[in-house]
mmCIF file of all heavy atoms in Angstrom:
data_model
loop_
_atom_site.group_PDB
_atom_site.id
_atom_site.type_symbol
_atom_site.label_atom_id
_atom_site.label_comp_id
_atom_site.label_asym_id
_atom_site.label_seq_id
_atom_site.Cartn_x
_atom_site.Cartn_y
_atom_site.Cartn_z
ATOM 1 N N ARG A 917 -30.586 7.049 55.343
ATOM 2 C CA ARG A 917 -31.459 7.213 56.506
ATOM 3 C C ARG A 917 -30.830 8.152 57.533
ATOM 4 O O ARG A 917 -31.533 8.921 58.209
ATOM 5 C CB ARG A 917 -31.720 5.843 57.134
ATOM 6 C CG ARG A 917 -32.794 5.825 58.217
ATOM 7 C CD ARG A 917 -32.916 4.435 58.840
ATOM 8 N NE ARG A 917 -33.174 3.431 57.823
ATOM 9 C CZ ARG A 917 -32.435 2.341 57.633
ATOM 10 N NH1 ARG A 917 -31.366 2.125 58.387
ATOM 11 N NH2 ARG A 917 -32.749 1.470 56.703
ATOM 12 N N GLY A 918 -29.519 8.119 57.659
ATOM 13 C CA GLY A 918 -28.848 8.974 58.631
ATOM 14 C C GLY A 918 -28.601 10.391 58.147
ATOM 15 O O GLY A 918 -28.178 11.250 58.937
ATOM 16 N N LEU A 919 -28.855 10.656 56.864
ATOM 17 C CA LEU A 919 -28.546 11.979 56.300
ATOM 18 C C LEU A 919 -29.778 12.802 55.954
ATOM 19 O O LEU A 919 -29.684 14.029 55.882
ATOM 20 C CB LEU A 919 -27.702 11.810 55.030
ATOM 21 C CG LEU A 919 -26.302 11.239 55.211
ATOM 22 C CD1 LEU A 919 -25.667 10.997 53.841
ATOM 23 C CD2 LEU A 919 -25.435 12.191 56.025
ATOM 24 N N ALA A 920 -30.892 12.159 55.697
ATOM 25 C CA ALA A 920 -32.070 12.885 55.192
ATOM 26 C C ALA A 920 -33.306 12.519 56.006
ATOM 27 O O ALA A 920 -34.014 11.556 55.694
ATOM 28 C CB ALA A 920 -32.288 12.558 53.713
ATOM 29 N N ALA A 921 -33.546 13.278 57.055
ATOM 30 C CA ALA A 921 -34.736 13.050 57.871
ATOM 31 C C ALA A 921 -35.978 13.392 57.046
ATOM 32 O O ALA A 921 -35.984 14.377 56.307
ATOM 33 C CB ALA A 921 -34.687 13.913 59.129
ATOM 34 N N PRO A 922 -37.037 12.587 57.144
ATOM 35 C CA PRO A 922 -38.246 12.842 56.335
ATOM 36 C C PRO A 922 -38.804 14.259 56.435
ATOM 37 O O PRO A 922 -39.189 14.829 55.411
ATOM 38 C CB PRO A 922 -39.237 11.788 56.866
ATOM 39 C CG PRO A 922 -38.363 10.654 57.321
ATOM 40 C CD PRO A 922 -37.134 11.324 57.891
ATOM 41 N N PRO A 923 -38.864 14.883 57.619
ATOM 42 C CA PRO A 923 -39.386 16.266 57.655
ATOM 43 C C PRO A 923 -38.556 17.239 56.825
ATOM 44 O O PRO A 923 -39.112 18.118 56.149
ATOM 45 C CB PRO A 923 -39.331 16.618 59.152
ATOM 46 C CG PRO A 923 -39.370 15.309 59.859
ATOM 47 C CD PRO A 923 -38.604 14.369 58.992
ATOM 48 N N GLU A 924 -37.230 17.081 56.860
ATOM 49 C CA GLU A 924 -36.377 17.966 56.071
ATOM 50 C C GLU A 924 -36.545 17.697 54.587
ATOM 51 O O GLU A 924 -36.581 18.622 53.760
ATOM 52 C CB GLU A 924 -34.914 17.790 56.472
ATOM 53 C CG GLU A 924 -33.915 18.582 55.625
ATOM 54 C CD GLU A 924 -34.149 20.081 55.664
ATOM 55 O OE1 GLU A 924 -34.839 20.579 56.573
ATOM 56 O OE2 GLU A 924 -33.628 20.774 54.768
ATOM 57 N N LEU A 925 -36.650 16.431 54.215
ATOM 58 C CA LEU A 925 -36.857 16.088 52.810
ATOM 59 C C LEU A 925 -38.184 16.660 52.322
ATOM 60 O O LEU A 925 -38.262 17.213 51.216
ATOM 61 C CB LEU A 925 -36.828 14.570 52.628
ATOM 62 C CG LEU A 925 -36.944 14.033 51.204
ATOM 63 C CD1 LEU A 925 -35.919 14.667 50.272
ATOM 64 C CD2 LEU A 925 -36.808 12.508 51.191
ATOM 65 N N ALA A 926 -39.230 16.560 53.138
ATOM 66 C CA ALA A 926 -40.530 17.125 52.764
ATOM 67 C C ALA A 926 -40.432 18.645 52.590
ATOM 68 O O ALA A 926 -41.019 19.223 51.665
ATOM 69 C CB ALA A 926 -41.572 16.777 53.827
ATOM 70 N N ARG A 927 -39.690 19.303 53.467
ATOM 71 C CA ARG A 927 -39.523 20.760 53.353
ATOM 72 C C ARG A 927 -38.820 21.124 52.055
ATOM 73 O O ARG A 927 -39.177 22.096 51.377
ATOM 74 C CB ARG A 927 -38.731 21.269 54.562
ATOM 75 C CG ARG A 927 -38.716 22.790 54.712
ATOM 76 C CD ARG A 927 -38.054 23.187 56.013
ATOM 77 N NE ARG A 927 -36.611 23.014 55.937
ATOM 78 C CZ ARG A 927 -35.774 23.951 55.473
ATOM 79 N NH1 ARG A 927 -36.254 25.109 55.034
ATOM 80 N NH2 ARG A 927 -34.487 23.732 55.451
ATOM 81 N N GLN A 928 -37.825 20.326 51.672
ATOM 82 C CA GLN A 928 -37.096 20.593 50.436
ATOM 83 C C GLN A 928 -37.955 20.332 49.194
ATOM 84 O O GLN A 928 -37.754 20.966 48.153
ATOM 85 C CB GLN A 928 -35.839 19.736 50.388
ATOM 86 C CG GLN A 928 -34.787 20.093 51.427
ATOM 87 C CD GLN A 928 -34.264 21.510 51.251
ATOM 88 O OE1 GLN A 928 -34.150 22.018 50.140
ATOM 89 N NE2 GLN A 928 -33.958 22.162 52.363
ATOM 90 N N VAL A 929 -38.921 19.427 49.287
ATOM 91 C CA VAL A 929 -39.844 19.190 48.171
ATOM 92 C C VAL A 929 -40.654 20.452 47.898
ATOM 93 O O VAL A 929 -40.815 20.872 46.745
ATOM 94 C CB VAL A 929 -40.785 18.008 48.484
ATOM 95 C CG1 VAL A 929 -41.855 17.878 47.400
ATOM 96 C CG2 VAL A 929 -39.994 16.704 48.590
ATOM 97 N N VAL A 930 -41.168 21.069 48.946
ATOM 98 C CA VAL A 930 -41.960 22.294 48.783
ATOM 99 C C VAL A 930 -41.074 23.418 48.242
ATOM 100 O O VAL A 930 -41.483 24.179 47.351
ATOM 101 C CB VAL A 930 -42.600 22.691 50.124
ATOM 102 C CG1 VAL A 930 -43.340 24.024 49.987
ATOM 103 C CG2 VAL A 930 -43.569 21.603 50.593
ATOM 104 N N LYS A 931 -39.847 23.525 48.750
ATOM 105 C CA LYS A 931 -38.942 24.565 48.272
ATOM 106 C C LYS A 931 -38.607 24.358 46.787
ATOM 107 O O LYS A 931 -38.496 25.321 46.026
ATOM 108 C CB LYS A 931 -37.658 24.549 49.092
ATOM 109 C CG LYS A 931 -37.823 25.047 50.525
ATOM 110 C CD LYS A 931 -36.484 25.183 51.232
ATOM 111 C CE LYS A 931 -35.673 26.323 50.665
ATOM 112 N NZ LYS A 931 -34.435 26.572 51.441
ATOM 113 N N ALA A 932 -38.456 23.088 46.375
ATOM 114 C CA ALA A 932 -38.178 22.802 44.968
ATOM 115 C C ALA A 932 -39.337 23.230 44.084
ATOM 116 O O ALA A 932 -39.138 23.777 42.994
ATOM 117 C CB ALA A 932 -37.884 21.315 44.782
ATOM 118 N N ALA A 933 -40.572 22.999 44.541
ATOM 119 C CA ALA A 933 -41.751 23.396 43.768
ATOM 120 C C ALA A 933 -41.819 24.915 43.645
ATOM 121 O O ALA A 933 -42.129 25.464 42.572
ATOM 122 C CB ALA A 933 -43.015 22.855 44.432
ATOM 123 N N GLU A 934 -41.509 25.614 44.730
ATOM 124 C CA GLU A 934 -41.517 27.076 44.697
ATOM 125 C C GLU A 934 -40.440 27.605 43.752
ATOM 126 O O GLU A 934 -40.669 28.554 42.986
ATOM 127 C CB GLU A 934 -41.293 27.628 46.107
ATOM 128 C CG GLU A 934 -42.442 27.389 47.065
ATOM 129 C CD GLU A 934 -42.153 27.935 48.452
ATOM 130 O OE1 GLU A 934 -41.077 27.618 48.997
ATOM 131 O OE2 GLU A 934 -42.990 28.685 48.978
ATOM 132 N N LEU A 935 -39.273 26.993 43.785
ATOM 133 C CA LEU A 935 -38.184 27.439 42.924
ATOM 134 C C LEU A 935 -38.514 27.225 41.451
ATOM 135 O O LEU A 935 -38.242 28.110 40.610
ATOM 136 C CB LEU A 935 -36.900 26.692 43.285
ATOM 137 C CG LEU A 935 -35.676 26.980 42.405
ATOM 138 C CD1 LEU A 935 -35.314 28.462 42.452
ATOM 139 C CD2 LEU A 935 -34.493 26.117 42.835
ATOM 140 N N ARG A 936 -39.111 26.112 41.114
ATOM 141 C CA ARG A 936 -39.482 25.854 39.712
ATOM 142 C C ARG A 936 -40.452 26.903 39.209
ATOM 143 O O ARG A 936 -40.361 27.358 38.067
ATOM 144 C CB ARG A 936 -40.095 24.458 39.568
ATOM 145 C CG ARG A 936 -39.094 23.329 39.699
ATOM 146 C CD ARG A 936 -39.581 22.051 39.025
ATOM 147 N NE ARG A 936 -40.919 21.661 39.434
ATOM 148 C CZ ARG A 936 -41.176 20.927 40.516
ATOM 149 N NH1 ARG A 936 -40.189 20.534 41.301
ATOM 150 N NH2 ARG A 936 -42.402 20.597 40.815
ATOM 151 N N ARG A 937 -41.391 27.294 40.045
ATOM 152 C CA ARG A 937 -42.347 28.336 39.644
ATOM 153 C C ARG A 937 -41.622 29.655 39.381
ATOM 154 O O ARG A 937 -41.879 30.341 38.397
ATOM 155 C CB ARG A 937 -43.404 28.528 40.740
ATOM 156 C CG ARG A 937 -44.373 27.373 40.879
ATOM 157 C CD ARG A 937 -45.322 27.618 42.030
ATOM 158 N NE ARG A 937 -46.268 28.662 41.730
ATOM 159 C CZ ARG A 937 -47.573 28.461 41.544
ATOM 160 N NH1 ARG A 937 -48.067 27.238 41.605
ATOM 161 N NH2 ARG A 937 -48.378 29.467 41.285
ATOM 162 N N ARG A 938 -40.728 29.996 40.278
ATOM 163 C CA ARG A 938 -40.015 31.267 40.130
ATOM 164 C C ARG A 938 -39.142 31.272 38.880
ATOM 165 O O ARG A 938 -39.081 32.273 38.151
ATOM 166 C CB ARG A 938 -39.174 31.520 41.384
ATOM 167 C CG ARG A 938 -38.373 32.800 41.356
ATOM 168 C CD ARG A 938 -38.047 33.262 42.769
ATOM 169 N NE ARG A 938 -37.351 32.240 43.530
ATOM 170 C CZ ARG A 938 -36.036 32.073 43.522
ATOM 171 N NH1 ARG A 938 -35.273 32.859 42.761
ATOM 172 N NH2 ARG A 938 -35.466 31.151 44.267
ATOM 173 N N LEU A 939 -38.473 30.154 38.602
ATOM 174 C CA LEU A 939 -37.582 30.091 37.457
ATOM 175 C C LEU A 939 -38.321 30.103 36.126
ATOM 176 O O LEU A 939 -37.746 30.463 35.095
ATOM 177 C CB LEU A 939 -36.716 28.832 37.550
ATOM 178 C CG LEU A 939 -35.684 28.819 38.692
ATOM 179 C CD1 LEU A 939 -34.996 27.469 38.770
ATOM 180 C CD2 LEU A 939 -34.659 29.931 38.494
ATOM 181 N N THR A 940 -39.575 29.688 36.146
ATOM 182 C CA THR A 940 -40.375 29.699 34.916
ATOM 183 C C THR A 940 -41.238 30.949 34.798
ATOM 184 O O THR A 940 -42.068 31.058 33.900
ATOM 185 C CB THR A 940 -41.271 28.449 34.839
ATOM 186 O OG1 THR A 940 -42.055 28.346 36.035
ATOM 187 C CG2 THR A 940 -40.424 27.195 34.678
ATOM 188 N N GLY A 941 -41.054 31.907 35.726
ATOM 189 C CA GLY A 941 -41.747 33.187 35.617
ATOM 190 C C GLY A 941 -43.176 33.184 36.096
ATOM 191 O O GLY A 941 -43.897 34.169 35.882
ATOM 192 N N ARG A 942 -43.598 32.109 36.768
ATOM 193 C CA ARG A 942 -44.968 32.089 37.273
ATOM 194 C C ARG A 942 -45.057 32.838 38.597
ATOM 195 O O ARG A 942 -44.055 33.023 39.297
ATOM 196 C CB ARG A 942 -45.449 30.649 37.456
ATOM 197 C CG ARG A 942 -45.669 29.923 36.132
ATOM 198 C CD ARG A 942 -46.224 28.531 36.367
ATOM 199 N NE ARG A 942 -45.220 27.655 36.980
ATOM 200 C CZ ARG A 942 -45.505 26.472 37.499
ATOM 201 N NH1 ARG A 942 -46.762 26.037 37.524
ATOM 202 N NH2 ARG A 942 -44.541 25.728 38.017
ATOM 203 N N GLU A 943 -46.281 33.229 38.946
ATOM 204 C CA GLU A 943 -46.457 33.987 40.180
ATOM 205 C C GLU A 943 -46.211 33.118 41.402
ATOM 206 O O GLU A 943 -46.293 31.887 41.349
ATOM 207 C CB GLU A 943 -47.867 34.583 40.241
ATOM 208 C CG GLU A 943 -48.979 33.550 40.245
ATOM 209 C CD GLU A 943 -50.345 34.208 40.221
ATOM 210 O OE1 GLU A 943 -50.514 35.172 39.449
ATOM 211 O OE2 GLU A 943 -51.226 33.739 40.971
ATOM 212 N N LYS A 944 -45.880 33.758 42.492
ATOM 213 C CA LYS A 944 -45.545 33.065 43.730
ATOM 214 C C LYS A 944 -46.712 32.223 44.223
ATOM 215 O O LYS A 944 -47.872 32.578 44.043
ATOM 216 C CB LYS A 944 -45.151 34.102 44.791
ATOM 217 C CG LYS A 944 -44.569 33.521 46.056
ATOM 218 C CD LYS A 944 -44.125 34.645 46.991
ATOM 219 C CE LYS A 944 -43.554 34.077 48.289
ATOM 220 N NZ LYS A 944 -43.137 35.179 49.203
ATOM 221 N N MET A 945 -46.385 31.092 44.826
ATOM 222 C CA MET A 945 -47.407 30.188 45.336
ATOM 223 C C MET A 945 -48.191 30.854 46.464
ATOM 224 O O MET A 945 -47.610 31.393 47.407
ATOM 225 C CB MET A 945 -46.734 28.903 45.850
ATOM 226 C CG MET A 945 -47.685 27.736 46.040
ATOM 227 S SD MET A 945 -46.797 26.237 46.638
ATOM 228 C CE MET A 945 -45.733 25.906 45.242
ATOM 229 N N ALA A 946 -49.520 30.826 46.361
ATOM 230 C CA ALA A 946 -50.361 31.410 47.399
ATOM 231 C C ALA A 946 -50.247 30.576 48.674
ATOM 232 O O ALA A 946 -50.004 29.367 48.617
ATOM 233 C CB ALA A 946 -51.813 31.456 46.935
ATOM 234 N N PRO A 947 -50.437 31.210 49.844
ATOM 235 C CA PRO A 947 -50.314 30.481 51.119
ATOM 236 C C PRO A 947 -51.198 29.237 51.183
ATOM 237 O O PRO A 947 -50.773 28.188 51.661
ATOM 238 C CB PRO A 947 -50.731 31.517 52.165
ATOM 239 C CG PRO A 947 -50.391 32.828 51.536
ATOM 240 C CD PRO A 947 -50.653 32.648 50.069
ATOM 241 N N LYS A 948 -52.439 29.336 50.680
ATOM 242 C CA LYS A 948 -53.339 28.189 50.725
ATOM 243 C C LYS A 948 -52.811 27.060 49.842
ATOM 244 O O LYS A 948 -52.829 25.882 50.236
ATOM 245 C CB LYS A 948 -54.736 28.612 50.257
ATOM 246 C CG LYS A 948 -55.761 27.487 50.323
ATOM 247 C CD LYS A 948 -57.139 27.973 49.895
ATOM 248 C CE LYS A 948 -58.158 26.839 49.960
ATOM 249 N NZ LYS A 948 -59.514 27.294 49.522
ATOM 250 N N GLU A 949 -52.322 27.406 48.651
ATOM 251 C CA GLU A 949 -51.784 26.396 47.747
ATOM 252 C C GLU A 949 -50.542 25.743 48.347
ATOM 253 O O GLU A 949 -50.347 24.521 48.251
ATOM 254 C CB GLU A 949 -51.441 27.036 46.398
ATOM 255 C CG GLU A 949 -50.986 26.045 45.346
ATOM 256 C CD GLU A 949 -50.631 26.717 44.040
ATOM 257 O OE1 GLU A 949 -50.708 27.958 43.966
ATOM 258 O OE2 GLU A 949 -50.258 26.000 43.085
ATOM 259 N N LYS A 950 -49.698 26.549 48.980
ATOM 260 C CA LYS A 950 -48.496 26.020 49.606
ATOM 261 C C LYS A 950 -48.847 25.071 50.746
ATOM 262 O O LYS A 950 -48.207 24.014 50.913
ATOM 263 C CB LYS A 950 -47.636 27.177 50.123
ATOM 264 C CG LYS A 950 -46.306 26.740 50.709
ATOM 265 C CD LYS A 950 -45.474 27.949 51.103
ATOM 266 C CE LYS A 950 -44.152 27.524 51.723
ATOM 267 N NZ LYS A 950 -43.327 28.712 52.093
ATOM 268 N N LYS A 951 -49.865 25.415 51.508
ATOM 269 C CA LYS A 951 -50.302 24.560 52.610
ATOM 270 C C LYS A 951 -50.850 23.241 52.088
ATOM 271 O O LYS A 951 -50.570 22.173 52.653
ATOM 272 C CB LYS A 951 -51.372 25.297 53.426
ATOM 273 C CG LYS A 951 -51.791 24.562 54.690
ATOM 274 C CD LYS A 951 -52.770 25.393 55.500
ATOM 275 C CE LYS A 951 -53.178 24.666 56.782
ATOM 276 N NZ LYS A 951 -54.138 25.472 57.583
ATOM 277 N N GLN A 952 -51.601 23.286 50.988
ATOM 278 C CA GLN A 952 -52.142 22.063 50.394
ATOM 279 C C GLN A 952 -51.015 21.170 49.863
ATOM 280 O O GLN A 952 -51.049 19.946 50.039
ATOM 281 C CB GLN A 952 -53.110 22.411 49.259
ATOM 282 C CG GLN A 952 -54.413 23.028 49.731
ATOM 283 C CD GLN A 952 -55.275 23.500 48.578
ATOM 284 O OE1 GLN A 952 -54.778 23.785 47.475
ATOM 285 N NE2 GLN A 952 -56.571 23.627 48.814
ATOM 286 N N LEU A 953 -50.016 21.802 49.233
ATOM 287 C CA LEU A 953 -48.882 21.032 48.727
ATOM 288 C C LEU A 953 -48.129 20.379 49.880
ATOM 289 O O LEU A 953 -47.747 19.210 49.801
ATOM 290 C CB LEU A 953 -47.944 21.944 47.935
ATOM 291 C CG LEU A 953 -46.639 21.289 47.444
ATOM 292 C CD1 LEU A 953 -46.935 20.120 46.516
ATOM 293 C CD2 LEU A 953 -45.744 22.308 46.753
ATOM 294 N N ALA A 954 -47.919 21.120 50.959
ATOM 295 C CA ALA A 954 -47.201 20.579 52.110
ATOM 296 C C ALA A 954 -47.928 19.375 52.693
ATOM 297 O O ALA A 954 -47.303 18.376 53.068
ATOM 298 C CB ALA A 954 -47.018 21.658 53.170
ATOM 299 N N ALA A 955 -49.266 19.458 52.750
ATOM 300 C CA ALA A 955 -50.048 18.334 53.271
ATOM 301 C C ALA A 955 -49.943 17.123 52.350
ATOM 302 O O ALA A 955 -49.832 15.973 52.806
ATOM 303 C CB ALA A 955 -51.511 18.754 53.433
ATOM 304 N N LEU A 956 -49.968 17.364 51.034
ATOM 305 C CA LEU A 956 -49.859 16.281 50.057
ATOM 306 C C LEU A 956 -48.487 15.611 50.145
ATOM 307 O O LEU A 956 -48.373 14.380 50.119
ATOM 308 C CB LEU A 956 -50.085 16.835 48.653
ATOM 309 C CG LEU A 956 -50.073 15.833 47.496
ATOM 310 C CD1 LEU A 956 -51.268 14.898 47.602
ATOM 311 C CD2 LEU A 956 -50.106 16.570 46.154
ATOM 312 N N VAL A 957 -47.457 16.435 50.272
ATOM 313 C CA VAL A 957 -46.098 15.903 50.365
ATOM 314 C C VAL A 957 -45.924 15.108 51.650
ATOM 315 O O VAL A 957 -45.305 14.034 51.656
ATOM 316 C CB VAL A 957 -45.066 17.044 50.286
ATOM 317 C CG1 VAL A 957 -43.678 16.548 50.647
ATOM 318 C CG2 VAL A 957 -45.075 17.666 48.900
ATOM 319 N N LYS A 958 -46.464 15.589 52.742
ATOM 320 C CA LYS A 958 -46.360 14.888 54.027
ATOM 321 C C LYS A 958 -46.977 13.502 53.931
ATOM 322 O O LYS A 958 -46.426 12.526 54.446
ATOM 323 C CB LYS A 958 -47.045 15.707 55.120
ATOM 324 C CG LYS A 958 -46.919 15.092 56.505
ATOM 325 C CD LYS A 958 -47.587 15.970 57.552
ATOM 326 C CE LYS A 958 -47.464 15.333 58.940
ATOM 327 N NZ LYS A 958 -48.119 16.188 59.984
ATOM 328 N N GLU A 959 -48.100 13.416 53.250
ATOM 329 C CA GLU A 959 -48.755 12.113 53.075
ATOM 330 C C GLU A 959 -47.920 11.218 52.164
ATOM 331 O O GLU A 959 -47.752 10.026 52.423
ATOM 332 C CB GLU A 959 -50.161 12.316 52.494
ATOM 333 C CG GLU A 959 -51.025 11.081 52.509
ATOM 334 C CD GLU A 959 -51.317 10.563 53.905
ATOM 335 O OE1 GLU A 959 -51.365 11.383 54.849
ATOM 336 O OE2 GLU A 959 -51.496 9.331 54.058
ATOM 337 N N GLY A 960 -47.392 11.799 51.080
ATOM 338 C CA GLY A 960 -46.572 11.020 50.159
ATOM 339 C C GLY A 960 -45.289 10.528 50.791
ATOM 340 O O GLY A 960 -44.776 9.456 50.439
ATOM 341 N N MET A 961 -44.765 11.290 51.758
ATOM 342 C CA MET A 961 -43.540 10.887 52.423
ATOM 343 C C MET A 961 -43.727 9.605 53.209
ATOM 344 O O MET A 961 -42.780 8.832 53.386
ATOM 345 C CB MET A 961 -43.042 11.997 53.349
ATOM 346 C CG MET A 961 -42.412 13.182 52.638
ATOM 347 S SD MET A 961 -40.984 12.727 51.612
ATOM 348 C CE MET A 961 -39.900 12.047 52.854
ATOM 349 N N LYS A 962 -44.926 9.342 53.674
ATOM 350 C CA LYS A 962 -45.184 8.100 54.401
ATOM 351 C C LYS A 962 -44.934 6.900 53.493
ATOM 352 O O LYS A 962 -44.333 5.907 53.909
ATOM 353 C CB LYS A 962 -46.623 8.078 54.924
ATOM 354 C CG LYS A 962 -46.923 9.122 55.986
ATOM 355 C CD LYS A 962 -48.376 9.044 56.432
ATOM 356 C CE LYS A 962 -48.704 10.123 57.458
ATOM 357 N NZ LYS A 962 -50.139 10.085 57.853
ATOM 358 N N GLU A 963 -45.391 6.995 52.250
ATOM 359 C CA GLU A 963 -45.164 5.926 51.283
ATOM 360 C C GLU A 963 -43.682 5.780 50.977
ATOM 361 O O GLU A 963 -43.154 4.661 50.915
ATOM 362 C CB GLU A 963 -45.946 6.226 49.997
ATOM 363 C CG GLU A 963 -45.792 5.163 48.918
ATOM 364 C CD GLU A 963 -46.459 5.562 47.610
ATOM 365 O OE1 GLU A 963 -47.138 6.605 47.574
ATOM 366 O OE2 GLU A 963 -46.282 4.835 46.617
ATOM 367 N N PHE A 964 -43.007 6.899 50.798
ATOM 368 C CA PHE A 964 -41.575 6.870 50.502
ATOM 369 C C PHE A 964 -40.798 6.238 51.648
ATOM 370 O O PHE A 964 -39.929 5.379 51.435
ATOM 371 C CB PHE A 964 -41.076 8.290 50.241
ATOM 372 C CG PHE A 964 -39.597 8.376 49.959
ATOM 373 C CD1 PHE A 964 -39.111 8.151 48.689
ATOM 374 C CD2 PHE A 964 -38.701 8.681 50.979
ATOM 375 C CE1 PHE A 964 -37.744 8.222 48.420
ATOM 376 C CE2 PHE A 964 -37.339 8.761 50.726
ATOM 377 C CZ PHE A 964 -36.863 8.526 49.445
ATOM 378 N N VAL A 965 -41.082 6.655 52.866
ATOM 379 C CA VAL A 965 -40.376 6.130 54.037
ATOM 380 C C VAL A 965 -40.624 4.638 54.193
ATOM 381 O O VAL A 965 -39.700 3.862 54.481
ATOM 382 C CB VAL A 965 -40.793 6.897 55.311
ATOM 383 C CG1 VAL A 965 -40.288 6.192 56.564
ATOM 384 C CG2 VAL A 965 -40.259 8.325 55.259
ATOM 385 N N HIS A 966 -41.870 4.220 53.987
ATOM 386 C CA HIS A 966 -42.169 2.783 54.109
ATOM 387 C C HIS A 966 -41.364 1.975 53.101
ATOM 388 O O HIS A 966 -40.715 0.987 53.461
ATOM 389 C CB HIS A 966 -43.657 2.531 53.907
ATOM 390 C CG HIS A 966 -44.002 1.069 53.784
ATOM 391 N ND1 HIS A 966 -43.959 0.207 54.853
ATOM 392 C CD2 HIS A 966 -44.356 0.319 52.702
ATOM 393 C CE1 HIS A 966 -44.278 -1.016 54.446
ATOM 394 N NE2 HIS A 966 -44.515 -0.970 53.148
#
Side-chain angles (χ1 to χ4, degrees):
R917 190 184 304 125
L919 294 174
E924 175 60 18
L925 184 53
R927 191 173 74 87
Q928 293 298 326
V929 173
V930 176
K931 289 188 70 173
E934 291 179 309
L935 176 60
R936 288 203 309 274
R937 290 177 71 111
R938 179 157 56 87
L939 292 174
T940 54
R942 290 183 291 168
E943 62 183 43
K944 189 176 179 181
M945 196 179 296
K948 182 178 180 181
E949 185 181 2
K950 184 176 179 179
K951 186 176 181 180
Q952 290 174 336
L953 175 60
L956 183 67
V957 169
K958 183 178 179 180
E959 191 63 30
M961 286 301 299
K962 294 179 182 178
E963 181 186 354
F964 178 84
V965 169
H966 170 72

